[in-house]
């Protein structure tokens, strides 16, 4: 597709369960970012990939959160032992590379709305 | 550390009025980029404008214009002759060249354009 896609669009789970959220970046984009947006707030950075490696995971809230990008394209955000506080919209963005403009413009996907009951 | 402050929360304007959104930022990096994004009710973030720290020239793009002032660390955004389709949440964001270009967002401004 032309843009960043994310699946599922909505995910409802129970406290304590494991979830995976998928992001398909724009083809050819080497940089991939995950953000989390709580209700009424701006998105908050979680993790950044350059190629296959997590170059910056300083935004992950705790060790229940993990993300991979094994082939440098699709990325999966994994949340273990979900808690009600994890409920939010999880946004993925990609850019051509992390360098200067215009290549650092981030294109966002529609997000996955996660609800933990 | 990056920080972006958008003090206004909700702004209501009557159609065709201008609306200005304030943004104040903090950064220790000398090279950084400032952005405005729009988030309509559908939820997807839409890129509007970008400004580089080394270019303070203010510009107009269609009905959008911005005022970047490094001396006051402000990056204000104006929508001229607002339309109902402009109703959305607007986010100011900052990325640092030394920070892998991760974006730090403000809390957003909810703009409501009343027909």
């Amino acid at each position: 597709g032309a843009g960043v896609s994310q699946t599922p669009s909505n995910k409802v789970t129970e406290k304590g369960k494991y979830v995976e959220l998928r992001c398909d970046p724009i083809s050819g984009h080497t940089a991939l970012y995950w953000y989390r947006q709580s209700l009424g707030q701006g998105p908050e950075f979680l993790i950044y990939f350059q190629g296959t490696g997590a170059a910056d995971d300083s935004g992950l809230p705790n060790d229940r959160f993990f993300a991979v990008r094994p082939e440098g394209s699709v990325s999966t955000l994994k949340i273990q032992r979900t808690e009600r506080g994890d409920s939010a919209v999880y946004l993925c963005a990609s850019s051509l590379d992390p360098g200067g403009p215009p290549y650092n413009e981030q294109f966002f996907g529609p997000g996955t709305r996660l609800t933990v009951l | 550390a990056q920080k972006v402050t958008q003090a206004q929360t909700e702004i209501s304007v009557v159609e065709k009025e201008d609306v200005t959104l304030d943004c104040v930022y903090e950064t220790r990096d000398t090279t950084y980029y400032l952005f405005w994004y729009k988030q309509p009710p559908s939820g997807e973030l839409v890129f509007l404008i970008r400004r580089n720290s080394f270019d303070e020239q203010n510009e107009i793009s269609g009905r959008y214009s911005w005022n970047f002032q490094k001396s006051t660390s402000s990056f204000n955004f104006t929508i001229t002759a607002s339309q109902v389709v402009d109703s959305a949440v607007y986010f100011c964001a900052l990325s640092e060249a030394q920070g892998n270009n991760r974006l730090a967002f403000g809390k957003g401004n909810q703009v409501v354009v009343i027909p």
Side-chain angles (χ1 to χ4, degrees):
Chain A
V4 178
S5 63
Q6 292 185 246
T7 55
S9 55
N10 279 285
K11 176 70 176 178
V12 180
T13 190
E14 293 180 344
K15 180 175 178 293
K17 300 290 188 182
Y18 167 83
V19 296
E20 290 189 352
L21 311 179
R22 176 187 168 106
C23 171
D24 275 276
I26 294 173
S27 178
H29 280 195
T30 62
L32 185 146
Y33 303 79
W34 282 99
Y35 295 85
R36 178 168 72 173
Q37 185 175 19
S38 301
L39 191 63
Q41 303 294 317
E44 293 180 317
F45 168 77
L46 294 176
I47 187 170
Y48 153 67
F49 286 90
Q50 175 56 30
T52 60
D56 182 356
D57 62 359
S58 62
L60 294 178
N62 52 60
D63 60 7
R64 295 187 297 106
F65 288 75
F66 188 70
V68 295
R69 195 185 184 199
E71 298 178 357
S73 178
V74 170
S75 176
T76 304
L77 178 66
K78 309 180 180 191
I79 310 174
Q80 298 177 323
R81 304 183 304 279
T82 51
E83 300 177 356
R84 293 194 179 87
D86 299 334
S87 296
V89 175
Y90 289 81
L91 296 166
C92 176
S94 70
S95 68
L96 198 56
D97 74 34
Y103 310 111
N104 64 342
E105 179 184 334
Q106 293 183 29
F107 296 85
F108 282 81
T112 294
R113 182 176 298 279
L114 175 66
T115 302
V116 182
L117 301 176
Chain B
Q2 308 162 271
K3 184 178 179 182
V4 175
T5 302
Q6 294 178 255
Q8 307 145 304
T9 50
E10 182 168 326
I11 303 167
S12 295
V13 295
V14 176
E15 199 172 18
K16 298 185 183 177
E17 288 183 342
D18 298 348
V19 55
T20 295
L21 309 179
D22 299 332
C23 174
V24 175
Y25 63 91
E26 295 178 28
T27 178
R28 295 179 181 174
D29 208 340
T30 55
T31 301
Y32 53 91
Y33 311 98
L34 295 161
F35 303 80
W36 278 96
Y37 281 85
K38 175 182 179 180
Q39 189 172 45
S42 61
E44 196 156 344
L45 278 165
V46 178
F47 165 81
L48 296 178
I49 57 173
R50 172 188 53 237
R51 209 72 205 153
N52 310 327
S53 57
F54 43 86
D55 183 359
E56 287 190 71
Q57 183 178 357
N58 295 312
E59 294 185 12
I60 297 173
S61 175
R63 294 189 298 110
Y64 299 149
S65 62
W66 51 95
N67 186 351
F68 174 31
Q69 294 193 0
K70 287 178 75 170
S71 60
T72 55
S73 297
S74 64
F75 185 53
N76 299 336
F77 174 68
T78 297
I79 305 171
T80 303
S82 59
Q83 301 174 3
V84 173
V85 293
D86 295 328
S87 296
V89 180
Y90 291 81
F91 291 99
C92 180
L94 163 75
S95 71
E96 297 170 332
Q98 295 193 31
N100 294 317
N101 282 306
R102 63 178 182 268
L103 291 166
F105 288 85
K107 289 189 175 182
N109 300 125
Q110 173 76 60
V111 173
V112 178
V113 181
I114 303 166

